[in-house]
Structure formats: C-alpha cells, structure tokens
Amino acid sequence: MDAVIAARRIEGDGTPAAAWRGDPQLQAVLPLSAERLLAACARVVVVAPHPDDEILACGGLLQVAVEHGLPQLLVAVTDGEASHPGSDQWTPARLREQRPRETLAALACLGIAHPRLQRLGLPDGGVAAAEATLAARLGAILRPADLVVTTWRYDAHPDHEACARACFAAARACGAALFEAPVWGWHWSAPGDGAMPLAQARKLALTPAMLARKRAALMCFESQLGLEGRAEGPVLTAHAIERILHPFELYFHDTGPVHAAATL
C-alpha cells in the first residue's frame, strides 16, 4: 500500500469507473447518515483547491445541506488560473475571471443561488508552498461546530494534498470535524491496491435527482471540459466525469477527537 501511494500519478485515462463499480470492498463501505451528521454540525465549510473541486468532491453533500437548511461556506483557495499552461486562449488572467463564474453557475444548479464565498487568492499550483499560510487563514475561519470538507491528502495533485494537510491542522486546532474526499484518487488508485482507506470511509448515497443536479453542475465548467487552447484535451475528461458520478460520494473521516466523528 505504501509503495502504491508513493507512486501515485495523474497519468493516462486512469482506472475505469466500471472497475470501481465492481469492487466488493467499495460496495461494503458503510453508509453515511447525513441526517445524524448534519444534526451535529452548525455549518458546512467546503475548502476547494480549485474552482470545480467543490462539486467534484461534495456536490451531493452540499445538496443535502441545502435540504436541511444548514449554512454553507465555500473557501476558494485558488482561482484555478494555471489549468491551461501555455495557452493563448485560456490565459491565467482569463481563467482567473472565468473559473469563479463557473463555480457560481454550478452552485446555482445545486440550489445555492446566493453562496457565501471566501476567496483566498493563493497561487494555483503553489498551495504547498503556502501551506502554513493557508492553515493560519483557515484557523481564523473555522469554528468548533463546523463540518469541514476538502480533497484527500493523497489525491496526487499537490494543491489537493496541501489543502487536506492545512485543513487537518486547522480543524484539529479548533475541534471541527473533517471529511476528505477523493477526486483524482479514483484515477490513480485501483480496486484491491489498499491505497484508499476504506476502513475509515463512509458513503453518502445520491438519489437520481441529486446525481442529475451534480452532473448539471459539472457541465458548468466549460473551461475544464472544452478542447480550446489545450493540446492534450480537456482537464475533466469523460473518464474522469464518469468516475466522479458514482451514485454516492465517498468521504474519509478523521478518527481523532473531533466532535462529529461518532455521528457517522
């Protein structure tokens, strides 16, 4: 398992969605009781490394929070300006404007018309170098009764992993609950390799209507779906979208002394 994690890379098409659908270990992961979880929290705080990670990681959970009338805060760590390096069409300046607009459109698809947003403006691709700063800024934002959701600490994208580490430090410091969700982990990991910590995972079931809204939200990220200005193709490929649109969302929870850990 350690060797698999050490070798993690976001390359090629990755593990097919069909392989995950047939994985007995994934099928055996216990369900997440959203009602019990959200009853123990006062706010859902999503810490997104890039615009679109809030949907990829937890578009379903955000819908559940809306249904329960629970406040949400989106912390946008970067503006995603480095997704098309060297492109004449999708320059960093254009992406810095476009990608946050895509987030607003995507959140509206989930029923969040007037989201609470806090943009930190850290450099896309440079979150690891600013990890201590990020942890400090999150420390000023988070509250003990928050449920913090971010990307997985072994997701293979350095920004995703740095966000997870910073969230872990800030959540532990204030006693907030922390969930980490795989985004690129579905790509580089594979059934049976032991890389996914499924023993400390829970699955949030998504109804067909919730899944349809999540798909619609993902379709708002035109800069990540199109071929314009990116010779190697879209960032969010058909393979990536199919893997993300499981009929559930998977969350790894911190098993330490945080207030919501026993409510799963």
Side-chain angles (χ1 to χ4, degrees):
M1 178 182 70
D2 291 344
V4 174
I5 290 176
R8 63 194 183 280
R9 298 288 186 276
I10 304 173
E11 298 173 342
D13 290 336
T15 302
W20 286 114
R21 284 195 294 269
D23 179 27
Q25 289 181 306
L26 183 59
Q27 293 171 7
V29 171
L30 295 175
L32 171 66
S33 171
E35 290 76 14
R36 291 175 61 194
L37 174 70
L38 297 181
C41 300
R43 182 176 63 161
V44 175
V45 179
V46 178
V47 180
H50 314 100
D52 72 9
D53 287 322
E54 66 280 353
I55 308 300
L56 294 165
C58 57
L61 182 60
L62 280 171
Q63 293 180 64
V64 175
V66 170
E67 292 170 3
H68 284 74
L70 197 67
Q72 315 101 37
L73 171 65
L74 171 59
V75 179
V77 177
T78 80
D79 291 329
E81 70 276 8
S83 65
H84 291 65
S87 170
D88 293 332
Q89 289 82 15
W90 287 109
T91 63
R94 183 184 177 192
L95 288 163
R96 215 174 267 118
E97 293 182 358
Q98 172 74 10
R99 296 194 68 184
R101 285 199 295 262
E102 292 170 348
T103 282
L104 293 176
L107 291 174
C109 289
L110 303 185
I112 308 172
H114 304 287
R116 291 192 61 222
L117 283 159
Q118 189 154 348
R119 298 201 174 279
L120 302 187
L122 295 183
D124 185 4
V127 179
E131 187 176 321
T133 298
L134 175 58
R137 296 185 71 175
L138 291 172
I141 294 169
L142 300 184
R143 306 167 187 166
D146 286 340
L147 170 61
V148 184
V149 187
T150 193
T151 43
W152 184 31
R153 68 189 66 181
Y154 296 114
D155 215 33
H157 192 299
D159 286 352
H160 288 208
E161 297 186 359
C163 279
R165 293 190 299 267
C167 284
F168 179 82
R172 272 295 179 92
C174 77
L178 175 63
F179 275 9
E180 298 175 23
V183 174
W184 291 109
W186 298 112
H187 180 104
W188 67 262
S189 180
D193 67 9
M196 293 267 202
L198 297 180
Q200 61 187 92
R202 295 293 185 274
K203 289 193 298 191
L204 175 67
L206 304 183
T207 66
M210 292 169 69
L211 200 59
R213 286 191 289 269
K214 182 170 179 175
R215 179 183 290 277
L218 288 175
M219 295 302 105
C220 293
F221 293 96
E222 297 177 6
S223 67
Q224 308 304 292
L225 295 168
L227 295 173
E228 181 191 358
R230 187 178 172 88
E232 65 270 34
V235 178
L236 292 177
T237 65
H239 294 285
I241 291 172
E242 186 182 6
R243 279 192 301 263
I244 283 295
L245 291 175
H246 297 299
F248 59 84
E249 288 175 343
L250 189 73
Y251 295 104
F252 308 129
H253 64 92
D254 176 21
T255 55
V258 290
H259 80 280
T263 69
L264 297 172

